[in-house]
């Protein structure tokens, strides 16, 4: 009996191995992992809402690609790089997951994408901000989809400069992300003929911004830029409004601002704020139709990160369908060869460095009088063409672009 | 322009005033903690969650029942205080007299449950509580623009702190309380209902947290994590002041606000750590805290 069992299991294993060698889609299933902060600071910008968008993409495909079932796993990374990396390792080792998406905090993304690269799988990053993901940390195994710090600083700072704000003061979150944001903004401001009068680096996260706002107020700068994100930005904006910053003629420029932040603060506080966004639900009939569908399921309007998850997943599944394979290199090549044309982007291109370049939008937050509903929050002021929005490949430090292996 | 350490005096004054405002919050919260520790010997880790509950009670009241700010300022502490009393009666009482750790773990667990449930219900972005009409706007003091609401926060918090101190140190009820802390058995022999006193005290400490929560609602985002962020600093304040010392909690709360305010001007990067630095120094030289009695 024992012998029989052993033989049987050996036969099973060998048939499985033979099976994978022949079949184009591994395990006859397309396996997707959704990794995001599901419970902390970044929960509302991607979180459970991003998982819902992913499920929509899968359902819109009928749950399978040419008879191969699409299976979705999800996990909370708690904004901890070790948790994120271990989860992804488990997914690729034990469940043979083909693609990982969501991916919010930059620190988690960098840790998780290392694992993805080692296992030669694919990561489609929608939530994270840092432009270093496709610069010094670029990889053939990940694609950065929705936005990045370069595009945001570039879009917003240029627009504010053009509107006449020449002298700047920066409120910077005192960690890696804030510092790179500060550098990005300073560069744009100086190149645009403006000057940076000073900056204050506040601890991350900070509860009370009144002191920093007062310092910014005292600097006499025309523009106060917020090189921080999430709750810090919300806090800084709220405080600035109480201390009469905008009433006194100073302008505020938020760099990383999401729809959920504006929704949380309300228009009284945020009206008139200029920001750059990768997508907004109320841009055209296509975005509205998709967002209504999303709203009916989830009860909130989607952020750009959540819409990005839908777009990235759909583009991925299309590539799997077109090639009949889920092998990373094949799918990655097919994805890059096909422009992204959906409700999220028109004519979007995936570059060698893994950056998906698409039009970005300069938006202004509506006044309470202009807004017609709970989620009617932005008006799109102008479109920033894809070629101008993102860091040009000529300035890239990415090893895939320069051909040089990184020094470290 | 007069300069003080290379900083214009006017800027300095502004920053000190802001420090005082933050200090008022610290004082209010650490006072509640100190009272609870003084009588119950419970290290109340749920204090931050209860502060958050206070703010949310006000926000929910406004949005679903139309309760305005001034009513909420009274109602929310009563409501949250009642929740606190129920917790004391049904949970904390069971571990009375046990090691401090049990109380700490129980209240910490409660805080996690409450905050987790609120994240599930309301998300983490937080909600916005509108400024009450009466306190909108502000005054130009010459050296800074002071929003009326912040001035009100300092006045309200100080009044409540002083009233509490007076009640505990100068009234008959307060003397029962203090005696109950020293020797509960003897008090009971005199015919005082000590268990009731304990319940009321916990309820009052909790109500103070909720009161601070309502005060904070129009300035900070009302979010499930608002209390957790503040709690550790407030504990440091209590430790510096001396565990269980009423006056110590109030004075230290204000002082830490001022020190933090100055740090934000001279070296902002250290603003979130300076309180702990002070704590380390104080513990080195006065292990019982600035106002604590040496054991």
């Amino acid at each position: 009996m024992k012998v029989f069992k052993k033989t049987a299991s050996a036969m099973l294993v060998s048939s499985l191995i033979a099976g994978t060698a022949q079949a184009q889609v591994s395990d006859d299933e397309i396996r997707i992992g959704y990794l995001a902060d599901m419970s902390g600071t970044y929960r509302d910008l991607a979180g459970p809402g991003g998982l819902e968008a992913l499920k929509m993409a899968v359902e819109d495909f009928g749950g399978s690609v040419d008879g191969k079932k699409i299976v979705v796993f999800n996990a909370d990374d708690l904004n901890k790089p070790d948790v994120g990396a271990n989860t992804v390792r488990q997914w690729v080792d034990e469940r043979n997951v083909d693609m990982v998406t969501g991916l919010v905090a930059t620190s988690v993304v960098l840790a998780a994408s290392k694992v993805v690269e080692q296992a030669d799988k694919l990561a489609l990053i929608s939530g994270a901000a840092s432009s270093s993901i496709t610069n010094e940390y670029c990889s053939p195994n990940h694609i950065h989809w929705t936005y990045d710090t370069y595009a945001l600083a570039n879009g917003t700072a240029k627009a504010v400069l053009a509107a006449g704000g020449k002298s700047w003061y920066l409120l910077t979150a005192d960690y890696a992300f804030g510092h790179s944001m500060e550098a990005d903004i300073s560069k744009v401001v100086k190149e645009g003929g403006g000057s940076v009068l000073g900056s204050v680096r506040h601890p991350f996260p900070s509860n009370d911004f009144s002191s920093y706002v007062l310092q910014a107020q005292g600097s006499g700068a025309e523009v106060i830029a917020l090189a921080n994100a999430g709750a810090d930005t919300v806090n800084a904006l709220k405080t600035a409004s109480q201390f009469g910053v905008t009433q006194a003629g100073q302008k505020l420029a938020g760099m990383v601002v999401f729809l959920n932040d504006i929704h949380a603060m309300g228009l009284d506080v945020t009206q008139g704020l200029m920001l750059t966004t990768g997508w907004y639900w109320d841009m055209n009939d296509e975005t509205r139709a998709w967002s209504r569908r999303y709203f009916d399921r989830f009860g909130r309007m989607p952020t750009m990160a959540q819409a990005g998850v839908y777009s990235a997943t759909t583009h991925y599944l299309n590539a799997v369908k077109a090639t009949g394979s889920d092998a990373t290199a094949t799918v990655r090549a097919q994805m890059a060869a096909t422009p992204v044309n959906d409700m999220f982007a028109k004519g979007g291109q995936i570059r060698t460095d893994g950056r998906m370049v698409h039009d970005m939008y300069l938006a202004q937050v509506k006044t309470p009088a202009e807004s017609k509903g709970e989620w009617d929050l932005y008006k799109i002021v102008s479109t920033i063409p894809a070629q101008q929005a993102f860091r040009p490949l000529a300035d890239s430090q990415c090893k895939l672009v320069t051909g040089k292996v990184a020094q470290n | 322009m007069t300069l003080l350490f290379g900083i214009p005096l006017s800027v300095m004054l502004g920053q000190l005033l802001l420090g005082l405002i933050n200090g008022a919050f610290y004082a209010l919260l650490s006072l509640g903690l100190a009272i609870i520790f003084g009588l119950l010997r419970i290290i109340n880790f749920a204090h931050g969650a209860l502060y958050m509950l206070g703010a949310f009670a006000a926000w929910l009241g406004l949005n679903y029942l139309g309760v305005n700010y001034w009513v909420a300022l009274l109602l929310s502490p009563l409501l949250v205080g009642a929740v606190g009393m129920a917790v004391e009666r049904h949970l904390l009482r069971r571990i009375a007299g046990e090691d401090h750790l049990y109380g700490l773990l129980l209240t910490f667990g409660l805080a996690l449950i409450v905050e987790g449930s609120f994240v599930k219900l309301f998300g983490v972005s937080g909600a916005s509580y509108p400024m009450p009409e009466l306190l909108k706007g502000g005054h130009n003091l010459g050296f800074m623009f002071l929003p009326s609401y912040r001035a009100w926060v300092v006045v309200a918090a100080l009044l409540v702190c002083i009233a509490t101190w007076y009640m505990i140190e100068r009234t008959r009820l307060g003397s029962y309380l203090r005696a109950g802390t020293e020797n509960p058995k003897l008090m009971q022999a005199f015919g005082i209902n000590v268990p009731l006193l304990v319940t009321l005290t916990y309820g009052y400490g909790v109500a103070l947290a909720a009161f601070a929560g309502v005060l904070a609602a129009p300035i900070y985002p009302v979010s499930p994590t608002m209390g957790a962020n503040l709690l550790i600093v407030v504990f440091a304040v209590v430790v510096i002041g001396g565990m269980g010392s009423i006056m110590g909690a109030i004075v230290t709360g204000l002082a830490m606000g001022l020190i933090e305010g100055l740090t934000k001007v001279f070296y902002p990067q250290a603003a979130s750590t300076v309180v702990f630095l002070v704590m380390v120094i104080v513990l080195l030289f006065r292990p019982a805290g600035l106002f604590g009695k040496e054991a």
Side-chain angles (χ1 to χ4, degrees):
Chain A
M1 199 59 197
K2 218 173 179 180
V3 178
F4 172 72
K5 258 189 187 168
K6 269 189 180 165
T7 328
S9 61
M11 277 167 66
L12 188 70
V13 169
S14 55
S15 72
L16 273 178
I17 293 168
T20 32
Q22 276 166 13
Q24 296 284 307
V25 170
S26 56
D27 322 297
D28 273 344
E29 279 184 348
I30 297 143
R31 296 181 179 164
I32 301 175
Y34 178 80
L35 183 74
D37 172 11
M38 302 292 260
S39 53
T41 328
Y42 297 138
R43 178 184 185 269
D44 290 352
L45 76 86
L51 181 61
E52 195 65 37
L54 171 59
K55 285 182 182 158
M56 278 174 77
V58 172
E59 281 169 32
D60 288 353
F61 243 88
S64 62
V65 178
D66 293 334
K68 314 285 186 207
K69 197 163 170 260
I70 308 166
V71 183
V72 175
F73 303 100
N74 75 85
D76 188 346
D77 61 32
L78 306 169
N79 285 331
K80 291 179 181 157
D82 52 334
V83 175
N86 282 335
T87 307
V88 173
R89 198 180 303 281
Q90 225 170 359
W91 279 347
V92 295
D93 285 354
E94 292 168 18
R95 294 172 176 174
N96 200 18
V97 160
D98 303 301
M99 184 269 270
V100 182
T101 187
L103 299 164
V104 185
T106 298
S107 47
V108 177
V109 171
L110 294 178
S113 77
K114 251 186 208 147
V115 180
V116 170
E117 189 170 358
Q118 281 160 12
D120 195 24
K121 304 292 183 183
L122 197 59
L124 303 180
I125 301 151
S126 184
S130 181
S131 62
S132 61
I133 291 168
T134 54
N135 200 25
E136 56 264 44
Y137 299 113
C138 76
S139 142
N141 296 79
H142 66 232
I143 300 171
H144 198 181
W145 206 264
T146 308
Y147 70 106
D148 63 25
T149 47
Y150 183 95
L152 297 186
N154 193 36
T156 311
K158 266 191 186 150
V160 174
L161 271 170
K166 292 292 179 203
S167 56
W168 291 58
Y169 193 89
L170 308 177
L171 296 191
T172 307
D174 191 23
Y175 74 113
F177 149 74
H179 298 172
S180 74
M181 196 85 214
E182 186 182 286
D184 281 345
I185 300 171
S186 305
K187 187 165 172 274
V188 174
V189 169
K190 278 168 198 157
E191 282 172 5
S195 60
V196 177
L197 299 184
S199 71
V200 57
R201 289 189 169 174
H202 65 77
F204 163 77
S206 279
N207 236 334
D208 180 69
F209 275 81
S210 45
S211 170
Y212 311 124
V213 165
L214 210 67
Q215 293 179 42
Q217 213 170 10
S219 73
E222 291 165 302
V223 182
I224 300 169
L226 307 175
N228 49 25
D232 283 341
T233 300
V234 172
N235 254 330
L237 285 171
K238 258 194 124 162
T239 309
S241 125
Q242 287 158 24
F243 280 85
V245 167
T246 38
Q247 288 88 329
Q250 280 175 309
K251 265 186 249 175
L252 284 162
M255 291 298 152
V256 185
V257 185
F258 283 89
L259 192 69
N260 55 299
D261 297 328
I262 303 290
H263 183 254
M265 282 181 280
L267 296 178
D268 276 332
V269 175
T270 53
Q271 53 181 303
L273 184 75
M274 304 287 268
L275 58 97
T276 304
T277 186
W279 182 85
Y280 176 54
W281 70 269
D282 193 12
M283 292 198 298
N284 54 50
D285 288 342
E286 216 179 337
T287 58
R288 276 188 288 273
W290 183 81
S291 303
R292 285 280 161 224
R293 243 173 4 108
Y294 178 92
F295 187 87
D296 289 342
R297 298 168 62 123
F298 197 66
R300 291 173 72 90
M301 276 301 175
T303 64
M304 61 167 158
Q306 289 157 349
V309 169
Y310 178 90
S311 168
T313 308
T314 306
H315 197 66
Y316 171 80
L317 292 174
N318 275 327
V320 172
K321 190 178 166 64
T323 56
S325 161
D326 65 357
T328 302
T330 320
V331 177
R332 168 75 172 75
Q334 172 67 18
M335 286 176 80
T338 333
V340 182
N341 275 317
D342 55 13
M343 61 87 198
F344 179 83
K346 290 277 171 273
Q349 285 291 344
I350 297 162
R351 297 193 310 207
T352 352
D353 60 351
R355 177 67 250 172
M356 199 282 267
V357 294
H358 56 96
D359 291 351
M360 295 287 289
Y361 305 91
L362 186 69
Q364 188 169 27
V365 177
K366 289 189 172 179
T367 65
E370 288 169 324
S371 170
K372 289 191 216 64
E374 190 190 354
W375 292 95
D376 184 16
L377 302 171
Y378 296 172
K379 55 183 174 223
I380 302 294
V381 180
S382 64
T383 302
I384 307 161
Q387 296 317 317
Q388 292 167 30
F390 294 92
R391 178 188 284 113
L393 280 181
D395 296 349
S396 180
Q397 295 169 34
C398 167
K399 56 183 188 279
L400 303 170
V401 177
T402 58
K404 275 183 257 169
V405 179
Q407 300 262 305
N408 46 1
Chain B
M1 207 187 290
T2 329
L3 289 180
L4 199 63
F5 306 115
I7 305 245
L9 193 62
S10 59
V11 173
M12 197 71 117
L13 276 173
Q15 295 296 343
L16 285 174
L17 192 57
L18 290 177
L20 200 64
I21 296 168
N22 286 332
F25 275 112
Y26 291 158
L28 211 49
L29 284 169
S30 53
L31 180 62
L33 277 180
I35 292 174
I36 290 170
F37 185 78
L39 195 69
L40 281 78
R41 299 284 142 184
I42 291 280
I43 301 172
N44 188 28
F45 254 80
H47 218 64
L50 293 159
Y51 161 81
M52 180 272 287
L53 273 185
F56 261 102
W59 182 79
L60 290 169
L62 181 77
N63 283 289
Y64 294 97
L65 305 168
V67 178
N68 77 24
Y69 173 81
W70 303 101
V71 180
L73 207 52
L74 193 72
L75 215 57
S76 168
L78 285 178
L79 206 70
V80 179
V83 171
M85 284 194 264
V87 166
E88 196 283 327
R89 226 169 165 106
H90 298 290
L91 296 172
L92 288 175
R93 182 153 300 178
R94 291 166 195 270
I95 52 163
E98 301 283 346
D99 192 89
H100 288 337
L101 262 182
Y102 289 90
L104 188 153
L105 284 176
L106 177 62
T107 50
F108 186 52
L110 280 175
L112 289 181
I113 292 171
V114 171
E115 282 167 359
S117 321
F118 271 69
V119 166
K120 181 87 188 143
L121 286 171
F122 300 102
V124 292
S125 308
S128 200
Y129 190 94
M131 193 67 70
E133 266 323 306
L134 192 65
L135 295 171
K136 270 191 179 159
H139 302 280
N140 199 334
L141 303 182
F143 56 90
M144 73 175 284
F145 178 88
L146 179 67
S148 311
Y149 188 83
R150 303 232 172 194
W152 153 249
V153 165
V154 180
V155 174
L158 284 184
L159 280 180
V160 169
C161 283
I162 291 167
T164 305
W165 173 82
Y166 185 83
M167 191 175 77
I168 292 173
E169 301 287 340
R170 294 282 183 270
T171 65
R172 197 171 182 80
L173 181 70
S175 64
Y176 288 167
L177 265 173
R178 282 177 288 133
T181 322
E182 293 285 327
N183 195 334
K185 285 228 173 78
L186 194 64
M187 283 301 284
Q188 215 137 12
F190 280 134
I192 308 288
N193 188 344
V194 174
L196 178 70
L197 213 56
V198 167
T199 307
L200 286 176
T201 309
Y202 190 76
Y204 187 73
V206 166
L208 281 178
F211 181 76
V214 184
L215 276 185
I219 328 185
Y220 302 123
V222 179
S223 100
T225 52
M226 63 191 285
N229 299 339
L230 213 59
L231 186 67
I232 301 300
V233 177
V234 173
F235 264 108
V237 168
V238 175
V239 171
I240 295 168
M243 293 297 282
S245 159
I246 307 294
M247 198 37 124
I250 302 174
V251 174
T252 317
L254 292 171
M256 286 309 114
L258 290 177
I259 290 179
E260 208 183 65
L262 289 179
T263 315
K264 283 174 178 172
V265 185
F266 290 109
Y267 191 65
Q269 285 91 327
S272 59
T273 36
V274 66
V275 172
F276 302 101
L277 195 69
V278 174
M279 183 177 86
V280 169
I281 295 169
V282 167
L283 286 181
L284 277 178
F285 294 100
R286 285 187 67 98
L290 291 176
F291 295 81
K293 293 183 206 106
E294 301 283 345

